[in-house]
Amino acid sequence: FWGAAAVSLQRSAHPLLCYVAHVTVGLAQNFLPEWTLLGDTSVLAGVYGPAEVKVSKEIFNKATLEVILRPKIGLPGVAEKSRERLIRNTCEAVVLGTLHPRTSITVVLQVISDAGSLLACCLNAACMALVDAGVPMRSLFCGVTCALDSDGTLMLDPTAKQEKEARAVLTFALDSVERKLLMSTTKGLYSDAELQQCLAAAQAASQHVFRFYRESLQRRYSKS
Amino acid sequence: MAEAAAVVAESLAGGRARAARTVLDQVVLPGEELLLPEQEDADGPGGAGERPLRLNAGARARVRVVCGPGLRRCGDRLLVTKCGRLRHKEPGGGSGGGVYWVDSQQKRYVPVKGDHVIGIVTAKSGDIFKVDVGGSEPASLSYLAFEGATKRNRPNVQVGDLIYGQFVVANKDMEPEMVCIDSCGRANGMGVIGQDGLLFKVTLGLIRKLLAPDCEILQELGKLYPLEIVFGMNGRIWVKAKTIQQTLILANILEACEHMTADQRKQIFSRLAES
């Protein structure tokens, strides 16, 4: 059974699409897949949990959060592991793990297509999947990527080509309550002032993403 | 830089806490803060931050509000932790401010004390049965927790049987425990569920809707075929009708009625009643 709602949002010439779908799959009863498209980047996310956890991995006072990121082709490598760690740290800051001690919450992300801003797209997909699965969270979060090219021009949600030619690429994860910074990862050369400028631009752009979350969740609940 | 700062300030201004009363039956998102009724008086007229001085400032009666699923207390406000529609129920006895909760759509069950659930026996170890209830841990069920069970007269429960019982211990720190008798020692409908029939899973929200008083779906189902049905709060439904085909039809209707409107449902029922 597939029920999908798709919404397209124009933001700095990069449409943002999200399918909020409800799929019943035989054994995986707590599996809720979400698609997020950022331009042509799309990531499918599913959340399992709170579920049983192996005794070796259990934490006595909070939930064990696991993130699995699978690339489009090939075996997952070091880059995937590093992105998994970044996504996991962001999710751990936001998910109320103390409500479910000695359980595991697993977020599985599958890259469908990559055209730049992959980490931001993964973060958005992970957030929507966690909300849809009913995991208690203290706020929502979103990912925004900024690229600085050699002239110092700031581009939000760069394409793969823009990322390759940029002087610096910065990805931020921002929370929904006060737009605070949850996670940042940067690559390249940039000055202190440029960092502040990128952060401010990312905070402004994040309100579009949060408004989009609100609209698609309202659409989902209006069907019932 | 200045205009970016101005835009940021405008976006942050939307994050102020809202009064719970104004958001009833609307979709709320995790991270929103809700003000309880007695706090609005303090924040209302003095919106700029000034409060009128009162001589009996501390003597205002506090209304006791129960914080239900999906909400957490955060200081003296309510923090929303799950996405869903905010609901409120007035207090019956006149004391307290009622219950606030969030109606969310979820498939995963978390054991709650007092809930009646359908479990599947997975193991028999010594004096207890391990029952899978769909949570993060299997629940334990003692063999003495059946009506009329004694050490000599053990209940006839095998691995793979379906059990309808309720939780006596269910919190985040301990393994859940369930029993098949009520506080007076009577079975009251609980125990091993009989042979045949079909067990299937639906969302938790649908179960709550079906178990609400005056549910039309159940009355219409009863008129369609004679049936036996057991609802578990963990999202499991066991249904049994005279033939396998009727059982399957009932299972399909129940799974689909979550996404159908009342009119579509009536159409399907009338079509089935004719055939």
Side-chain angles (χ1 to χ4, degrees):
Chain A
F1 182 94
W2 251 88
V7 170
S8 157
L9 173 75
Q10 284 296 116
R11 169 168 59 93
S12 62
H14 288 279
L16 179 79
L17 271 137
C18 175
Y19 292 92
V20 181
H22 189 86
V23 171
T24 311
V25 177
L27 295 170
Q29 293 135 355
N30 46 356
F31 173 61
L32 288 148
E34 308 286 336
W35 271 38
T36 311
L37 269 112
L38 203 69
D40 296 310
T41 310
S42 61
V43 175
L44 182 68
V47 169
Y48 297 79
E52 271 202 31
V53 66
K54 274 195 262 203
V55 182
S56 57
K57 287 192 191 164
E58 77 176 7
I59 306 177
F60 76 97
N61 62 341
K62 58 183 183 140
T64 310
L65 204 84
E66 251 182 35
V67 176
I68 301 175
L69 174 61
R70 292 262 179 268
K72 183 176 165 197
I73 40 177
L75 290 171
V78 175
E80 279 73 39
K81 269 275 173 291
S82 148
R83 288 196 190 112
E84 281 173 13
R85 185 180 57 82
L86 293 169
I87 298 169
R88 191 182 71 237
N89 288 347
T90 316
C91 293
E92 273 181 0
V94 156
V95 163
L96 288 166
T98 49
L99 290 181
H100 300 288
R102 293 166 299 113
T103 63
S104 81
I105 300 175
T106 311
V107 182
V108 181
L109 299 156
Q110 171 66 57
V111 178
I112 309 278
S113 66
D114 181 5
S117 311
L118 180 66
L119 184 58
C121 195
C122 292
L123 284 166
N124 294 339
C127 179
M128 285 297 260
L130 284 168
V131 165
D132 211 20
V135 175
M137 297 167 47
R138 54 174 68 89
S139 75
L140 300 174
F141 60 93
C142 82
V144 185
T145 315
C146 284
L148 287 166
D149 71 3
S150 37
D151 313 331
T153 326
L154 208 155
M155 288 171 289
L156 283 177
D157 290 327
T159 59
K161 186 164 172 291
Q162 287 171 333
E163 275 184 357
K164 211 157 61 156
E165 293 166 359
R167 166 167 51 97
V169 178
L170 303 94
T171 306
F172 302 109
L174 301 163
D175 98 330
S176 67
V177 179
E178 284 171 20
R179 310 284 184 273
K180 282 199 184 142
L181 188 63
L182 291 171
M183 183 273 298
S184 83
T185 177
T186 63
K187 186 176 80 162
L189 223 60
Y190 53 90
S191 72
D192 205 7
E194 281 171 339
L195 172 65
Q196 296 301 324
Q197 202 182 357
C198 287
L199 188 52
Q203 284 176 327
S206 67
Q207 65 172 331
H208 295 281
V209 185
F210 290 130
R211 188 167 4 116
F212 169 76
Y213 282 175
R214 178 175 287 277
E215 282 169 6
S216 49
L217 285 168
Q218 277 176 339
R219 186 169 296 111
R220 177 144 193 279
Y221 279 91
S222 70
K223 283 198 287 186
S224 55
Chain B
M1 192 67 186
E3 69 214 5
V7 170
V8 169
E10 164 210 278
S11 64
L12 287 180
R16 240 177 317 140
R18 297 184 280 176
R21 255 197 348 237
T22 59
V23 201
L24 278 185
D25 289 340
Q26 288 178 37
V27 175
V28 288
L29 299 179
E32 289 186 11
E33 287 198 343
L34 301 171
L35 293 169
L36 293 171
E38 86 259 4
Q39 289 162 324
E40 300 162 52
D41 304 328
D43 287 354
E50 294 178 12
R51 279 188 208 195
L53 268 181
R54 291 173 198 235
L55 289 174
N56 57 342
R60 208 175 30 200
R62 287 193 138 247
V63 185
R64 217 175 140 243
V65 158
V66 177
C67 188
L71 294 170
R72 302 263 300 163
R73 283 202 184 268
C74 163
D76 49 359
R77 297 177 177 186
L78 294 178
L79 175 71
V80 179
T81 57
K82 290 194 189 175
C83 172
R85 288 196 184 273
L86 185 70
R87 306 275 191 215
H88 174 60
K89 184 172 141 186
E90 290 298 326
S95 69
V99 192
Y100 283 96
W101 76 92
V102 177
D103 239 348
S104 62
Q105 288 173 359
Q106 224 180 307
K107 299 198 79 174
R108 188 78 189 171
Y109 177 67
V110 173
V112 170
K113 183 174 166 178
D115 261 3
H116 291 257
V117 293
I118 299 179
I120 305 173
V121 179
T122 52
K124 226 158 108 162
S125 62
D127 291 339
I128 56 168
F129 303 111
K130 284 280 179 226
V131 180
D132 162 43
V133 291
S136 59
E137 268 184 300
S140 73
L141 169 63
S142 161
Y143 77 96
L144 288 172
F146 289 84
E147 185 174 7
T150 59
K151 289 206 178 129
R152 302 253 176 98
N153 179 18
R154 287 172 180 248
N156 184 15
V157 176
Q158 307 304 324
V159 171
D161 278 353
L162 293 178
I163 302 266
Y164 182 62
Q166 64 176 344
F167 286 115
V168 287
V169 171
N171 52 47
K172 61 183 168 80
D173 299 309
M174 295 167 63
E175 177 195 47
E177 291 176 24
M178 60 188 283
V179 291
C180 289
I181 49 172
D182 61 10
S183 47
C184 303
R186 288 189 300 256
N188 211 7
M190 296 188 271
V192 181
I193 294 178
Q195 296 295 313
D196 306 329
L198 177 67
L199 178 77
F200 58 97
K201 196 155 179 341
V202 293
T203 58
L204 306 186
L206 178 64
I207 297 274
R208 291 194 296 260
K209 192 162 86 165
L210 291 169
L211 284 176
D214 307 324
C215 178
E216 307 170 324
I217 307 175
L218 276 191
Q219 290 165 359
E220 289 169 16
L221 271 181
K223 287 185 214 151
L224 199 58
Y225 305 123
L227 79 162
E228 275 181 68
I229 196 163
V230 180
F231 294 105
M233 295 295 289
N234 52 346
R236 294 182 181 166
I237 302 180
W238 178 86
V239 72
K240 178 174 167 187
K242 283 219 185 94
T243 65
I244 295 181
Q245 194 185 29
Q246 288 179 0
T247 311
L248 288 173
I249 291 174
L250 290 167
N252 285 332
I253 294 177
L254 283 168
E255 277 174 341
C257 68
E258 181 167 17
H259 302 276
M260 290 196 291
T261 59
D263 296 325
Q264 288 169 324
R265 213 174 50 226
K266 287 195 172 60
Q267 274 177 14
I268 295 195
F269 276 120
S270 52
R271 249 194 302 154
L272 281 169
E274 285 163 27
S275 64

